Amino acid sequence: MVEERMGDCWSHTKDQFDNLEKHTQWGIEFVEKYTKFVKERSEIEINYAKQIRNLSKKYQPKKNSREEEESKYTFCRAFVTTLNELNDYAGQHEVIAENLTSQIITELMRYLQELKSERKSHFHDGRKAQQHIESSWKQLESSKRKFERDCKEADRAQQYFEKMDADINVTKADVEKARQQAQVRHQMASDSKGDYSSYLQKFNQEQNEHYYTIIPNIFQKLQDMEERRIERIGVCMKTFADVDRQVLPIVGKCLDGMTKGAESIDPKTDSQQVVESYKSGFEPPGDVEFEDYGQAMKRTASETSLSNTREAKEKPTGKSKGKLWPFIKNKNKGSGPEDFSHLPPEQRRKKLQGKIDEINKDIQKEMDQRDALTKMKDVYIKNPQMGDPASVDPRLTEIGQNIEKLQFEVQKFEGWLAEVEERMPSKSDTHRRSGIYETQNSTTVSNNCAQDRESPDGSYTEEQNSETQVKANTTPNPNPNPTPAPPTSTTPEFDDEFDDEETLPTIGTCKALYPFEGHNEGTIALAEGELLYVIEEDKGDGWTRVRRNEDEEGYVPTSYVEVFLETNAKDS
């Protein structure tokens, strides 16, 4: 019964250790799983931050003139603010990933090693204690069996002695021998009894210590280990949330920055920027004069008749128009004339002012260099050992020449600027209306406009006659070039038209109001008062195609001539 009871206890203890081993192993695996979870979250944060940074970088304005031009609008600046704040926002997600790694992943990796080592030590102590008590029990059982054998042997020796002592046929010597043997056996049994008693006392003490001290201590250590593991997991889970919470104030500031940028958008300011950018500075055209068709008289090239005739002739002359417009557009896309005469007055004024400011900056740079070199030369004069004063002179001379050139450039652009500002509608509107429109013949509208231009030398004119206005309203092109751009020798459009097309019929005549030199390829020279044949009317680009004789034809500025269309051309 005792052996069965002891076996049950040991079996129960062993089962407890097996269960605890499984549970603590599962606890370690849970920590490993949680560590893997945090790693994957950290990787997500890093990849997310990278994608957000790339998105911000992708939409950042490029370093080109168009993007710089757009930066003056409040909504464009607000978008740039959003992109910059988004970049900082991505940085906070990188901080999350870094803190998850340093505060959780690294700590748990180190703790896992400690946990595995501690668990191994506790279960090693448990198995050792179990083996020790089992060994002690085996010693007790062995001494017990020896005591039992010795007692049986002593009983048999005593019975044999008694039998020999009662037998009269046995010699005294044999009886004495049997008696001595019985005493030896009794002594052995007595010794075995003492050993058994000693082992029993020792086992009971060790068993008591095993079940009441050693095993409970090991279980307690395992319990403490488990509680620390669970507590550590709890701390990590809290840190997992805190890491995110720590960046919320900065993330909030990023979002506040985006909101502030959005609130800074001012539609009126942006629309005013558009007005300033594209304001032409043209004076509105005068009233269209009544044309009396009931009287047989020369008809002037009025705006209405030109536009109506143009509408009637658009289809048959579409080829010529198609060739001329790309020429004009290409011309304007280039750098244009140095005095920006290809631009409307207001835009020209801005360009000229910007050019003057730019040259003044260059002059200031050159003057700063001159001052620095002058000081250096003074130092060399006072201290010849430091350098030759004459070595600075060539550079000073060069800088002086540069300053003279730049100052000449400034004067040139300031002259052009003064011309533009004198003719701006805002400054001379009253004078222009009283001094021009009242003194001109009411039947020559184009002549009125011609008086209001800068000069008949091919530079930009301020007039925007009614013909151009009507054309703008009746053609698909919403913004035709209001003024003829002088033809250049580098563009082949005029040559193509003369070479490829058949001889065009005459549709009217025209009278030159001003002389025109016609140096550019594709144009024809005019003498004031000269009469020429019109073979193609103005298509809205400011040029009229004329012919002097069978072999000489070309384009002239529409504002330089007075057009008289033939009746059949008007009625067609």
Side-chain angles (χ1 to χ4, degrees), residues 337-355:
E338 185 184 14
D339 61 354
F340 302 109
S341 58
H342 64 294
L343 295 175
E346 178 64 22
Q347 300 306 315
R348 183 185 179 195
R349 184 188 65 78
K350 289 182 180 179
K351 285 285 187 182
L352 289 170
Q353 186 61 57
K355 189 69 175 178

Side-chain angles (χ1 to χ4, degrees), residues 305-563:
S305 64
L306 283 177
S307 62
N308 290 340
T309 308
R310 182 179 300 113
E311 288 174 0
K313 288 181 67 62
E314 267 184 356
K315 289 184 180 179
T317 58
K319 183 178 179 183
S320 298
K321 179 183 176 183
K323 289 189 175 183
L324 185 58
W325 270 107
F327 162 70
I328 298 299
K329 289 180 180 177
N330 288 341
K331 179 70 177 74
N332 288 344
K333 283 183 180 178
S335 60
E338 185 184 14
D339 61 354
F340 302 109
S341 58
H342 64 294
L343 295 175
E346 178 64 22
Q347 300 306 315
R348 183 185 179 195
R349 184 188 65 78
K350 289 182 180 179
K351 285 285 187 182
L352 289 170
Q353 186 61 57
K355 189 69 175 178
I356 291 170
D357 294 341
E358 181 182 332
I359 297 173
N360 281 331
K361 287 181 182 178
D362 292 339
I363 291 174
Q364 188 59 47
K365 289 180 182 177
E366 293 288 341
M367 292 176 70
D368 291 342
Q369 288 188 37
R370 184 180 64 183
D371 293 344
L373 287 172
T374 302
K375 290 179 181 178
M376 183 185 296
K377 183 176 180 180
D378 292 341
V379 171
Y380 288 169
I381 292 173
K382 295 176 182 178
N383 302 282
Q385 69 276 9
M386 296 183 68
D388 182 10
S391 63
V392 183
D393 291 339
R395 179 59 180 153
L396 281 174
T397 303
E398 181 184 350
I399 291 175
Q401 293 172 351
N402 291 342
I403 292 175
E404 288 180 6
K405 290 178 183 177
L406 291 171
Q407 288 173 341
F408 174 77
E409 287 289 312
V410 168
Q411 292 173 1
K412 181 171 64 175
F413 281 98
E414 285 176 345
W416 287 328
L417 180 62
E419 280 184 31
V420 175
E421 289 178 341
E422 286 176 5
R423 289 164 173 76
M424 290 293 287
S426 60
K427 292 188 178 182
S428 57
D429 184 72
T430 305
H431 169 73
R432 191 171 297 161
R433 289 186 179 277
S434 61
I436 298 176
Y437 288 95
E438 293 178 6
T439 59
Q440 297 298 318
N441 189 319
S442 62
T443 60
T444 57
V445 178
S446 61
N447 196 3
N448 292 343
C449 298
Q451 297 295 326
D452 200 25
R453 56 189 167 72
E454 292 184 16
S455 60
D457 59 354
S459 62
Y460 199 96
T461 60
E462 285 189 352
E463 83 277 8
Q464 183 179 11
N465 58 41
S466 302
E467 175 187 349
T468 309
Q469 290 284 0
V470 174
K471 180 65 179 178
N473 294 330
T474 57
T475 59
N477 189 346
N479 187 23
N481 194 338
T483 300
T488 62
S489 59
T490 57
T491 52
E493 280 79 354
F494 286 117
D495 292 337
D496 292 342
E497 292 188 16
F498 289 130
D499 294 342
D500 298 341
E501 296 181 11
E502 297 178 0
T503 303
L504 293 176
T506 300
I507 61 173
T509 60
C510 68
K511 178 182 179 181
L513 300 173
Y514 309 98
F516 176 66
E517 295 178 358
H519 291 316
N520 296 307
E521 187 174 351
T523 63
I524 186 172
L526 288 177
E528 185 175 354
E530 183 180 5
L531 292 175
L532 298 98
Y533 295 105
V534 177
I535 58 175
E536 185 177 350
E537 61 180 318
D538 190 344
K539 295 297 186 297
D541 48 45
W543 293 91
T544 298
R545 190 169 175 181
V546 301
R547 179 185 297 136
R548 179 173 284 112
N549 50 49
E550 291 182 359
D551 299 324
E552 190 176 1
E553 64 181 46
Y555 286 88
V556 296
T558 303
S559 59
Y560 281 43
V561 295
E562 185 177 358
V563 179

